[in-house]
Amino acid sequence: MSDLILETTNLRKQYGDFTAVDGVNFSIPRGQVFSLLGPNGAGKSTTISMLSCLLTPSDGDAHIDGHSVVQAADQVKSVIGFVPQDLALYDKLSAKHNLKFWGTMSGMSGSNLTKKIDELLERVELADRANDRVETFSGGMKRRLNIAVGLLHSPKLVFMDEPTVGIDPQSRRRILDMVKELRDEGMSVLYTTHYMEEAQELSDSVGIIDHGKMIAQGTQDELRKMVGEQDTLRLHFDEDAPTADLSAKFSGLPFVTTSSVNGQEVVVTVPEAAAVLPDLLTVAADSQQRVRSIDMEEPNLEAVFLHLTGRALRE
Amino acid sequence: MNKILAIGLKDLRLVFRDPTALLLMLLAPYLITLGLGFVSGAFEDDGNSGISDIPVMLIDQDIGDLGGQLVEVFESDDLAELIEVVPATGIPEGRTLVNDDEIAALVIIPADFSALMIPDSTTGETAEGEPLEIYRSSSRPISVSVVEAIVSQFMSQVDSGTTLVGVTVDQLVESGDFDAANFQAMATDLVTSQSESEPLIGINANSGTAEEEDDGFNVLSVLAPGMALFFLMYTVTLGGSSILRERNEGTLGRMQTTPTSSMQILGGKVMGIFLTGVAQVGILVIGSSLMYGIKWGNWFGVIGLIVSAALAATSWGLLIAGAARTQEQVAGIGTAVMLMFGAISGTFTQIDNRFINSIGAITPNQWALQGFTKLGLGQSLVDVLPNIGALWLMAAVVFTIAAMLFRSKLSA
């Protein structure tokens, strides 16, 4: 048995002239969380759709637990769990009926299914709402049930496509903790997100995807080394401030590695924040712009993305 | 099979938790039937089941004996309360009476009626042509359907007699006892005896007494199935559109990431639409029996027709969903088809146009409605087997086309 639960080879998806995923190569060791990090429209969901046999690759292949997604879709489907970005539940059915239906679709039945349903309802903290219709649930509760459906048949590899989009902080915290629990139990997870903090907290390794291409991958330490020991400074300006002009002026300063705009923020990477900060404030003052707040961050995945693309992750 | 059943039962459960769907599936047909029942006088407390003394004129020009027998049937004591035979004055006068809505139908029995029905003595074959003309009143669809049912039953029994003649002749020829000179008389005797061997039509006319009232013909027995079948088309359209809705809502995609084949998914959706259709018509049949006292007739026939109609309608629902690209298109096309099927099948009014009646044969409504009318008039499961067969054939053809459309849809 290979140490890798997933390995892709030049995976590509083409729609006419548009290339959604362009020859992506990456692998996930068993029992690890791999985060696919990238802005909206980068190709994360298309990649997951190909890996879960929803879309046929235009070229290339991927092997999951040794089975090709192109040649052996049925075997692949029996070892994966899929948690789609959009909730895929039946609102007019209860949580229990939803789990029972999806369990049957995954080939489960009888006492095994009943036991697993009870276990998962406890896990996602919905046991007391098991018989309530999903339409009465909050967004966070629906997200948790959506995840429970993907875990029903104890898959070897779970695809979680932006599972925390649009929910309250408490539910988000619960989901992140659950992903870590699953990893601790030996399950492999492919997690897509455009939240850098989530990728940093969960991942054993990270792939950064942009415009359909995997532009970097490795452990978080490996990625941080790509930008060197750079600090990130976030300078927040008034709403009408010409942030693009300010960013251009900051770029001209010595020791500024990169400068980019993120809304009313100008994000600057520098070797040593404390040394450069006075110069940045002087430029702002000369431009008659007031700096409302400043955040200083150690090197992180945001800086890596900025370094590689020249853009902030959420631009 | 487990997965197909799970998808089907899930869809059934979802439909019965949708208040709007329930309103249109169950309440609307009940209310419309109720309204039409009041209009037709079915609820009048006069001991009358809602239809009686249907005025009919019969013009018997037959030079043989069979025409006279048909007239005797209409004038028989069994049909005395249901049918009122108007004295024959002439074809033009009869047509005028129909046009003026003075009588429900004019039955014209041609001179060669017996020759058309009874095999020729030399060739052993019957002549070709239209044996009967029924000139119908378009404003009395129910009355006309009763007249047609009586004529149809008579013709059916004469046909059985004709077949008997053929078999008898074959046997005589084989044995060498065939006497061509006496053939015509023998054939007439055989056909006549066959048509007289059993009650010509199983209608129990209402005698007005309390004990017998329950067995009477009730106009709601025609209205209720018409409405049930009309709204069955709504249900199957709703079921068909659920495939597109599941695609939009991501549940279809999620199903496709499980070890479930496209054919299992399609089979499950078909099962769901079919079960919903059977449940809908079944509830309407049982409910209308309890609420309105409708006698649907032979229960084996009723169950056979419900299942067959639901199957044929399901195939149409799938075809509509397969041809459409969006849920909105399904709703639009589905409503148009539902109304068109209702109109050309004679659900709302009798269509006095042979061409439209022929087109109506593509609708499950027409075949099922004819079947329910037969059963309501006292006929048996055997009598509705042609209707059941036609519905299954329709289901097979339409489903094949729909499946081809859906294969590409599910793999897209």
Side-chain angles (χ1 to χ4, degrees), chain B residues 171-182:
Chain B
Q171 287 171 346
L172 289 172
V173 169
E174 278 177 19
S175 65
D177 295 336
F178 182 67
D179 178 4
N182 294 324

Side-chain angles (χ1 to χ4, degrees), chain B residues 97-116:
Chain B
L97 288 174
V98 171
N99 293 338
D100 293 345
D101 202 26
E102 296 290 326
I103 60 174
L106 168 69
V107 181
I108 304 167
I109 305 167
D112 55 354
F113 181 56
S114 293
L116 288 165

Side-chain angles (χ1 to χ4, degrees), chain A residues 207-239:
Chain A
I208 297 178
I209 190 167
D210 190 36
H211 296 306
K213 291 186 176 176
M214 189 73 86
I215 55 176
Q217 61 178 304
T219 63
Q220 294 191 47
D221 280 346
E222 287 169 345
L223 292 173
R224 276 195 284 263
K225 280 178 188 166
M226 292 176 73
V227 287
E229 293 300 315
Q230 298 276 318
D231 292 338
T232 301
L233 282 166
R234 294 178 180 276
L235 291 89
H236 193 86
F237 292 93
D238 288 332
E239 282 195 6

Side-chain angles (χ1 to χ4, degrees), chain B residues 241-317:
Chain B
S241 75
S242 77
I243 300 174
L244 298 172
R245 187 175 65 243
E246 291 222 42
R247 191 168 69 173
N248 294 342
E249 293 177 353
T251 45
L252 182 63
R254 188 168 216 164
M255 265 188 243
Q256 289 175 307
T257 67
T258 65
T260 308
S261 70
S262 295
M263 289 317 290
Q264 282 177 310
I265 295 172
L266 185 59
K269 297 303 292 183
V270 170
M271 174 76 83
I273 302 170
F274 172 71
L275 289 177
T276 309
V278 169
Q280 179 199 14
V281 182
I283 289 170
L284 290 172
V285 166
I286 293 167
S288 58
S289 290
L290 298 174
M291 289 166 63
Y292 305 147
I294 293 175
K295 294 292 176 192
W296 287 79
N298 180 293
W299 280 104
F300 292 111
V302 170
I303 292 166
L305 276 175
I306 291 174
V307 169
S308 308
L311 197 66
T314 296
S315 66
W316 275 104

Side-chain angles (χ1 to χ4, degrees), chain A residues 250-272:
Chain A
F250 292 158
S251 298
L253 291 172
F255 307 116
V256 169
T257 312
T258 64
S259 179
S260 66
V261 176
N262 181 24
Q264 286 312 112
E265 276 183 353
V266 178
V267 184
V268 180
T269 56
V270 293
E272 194 179 346

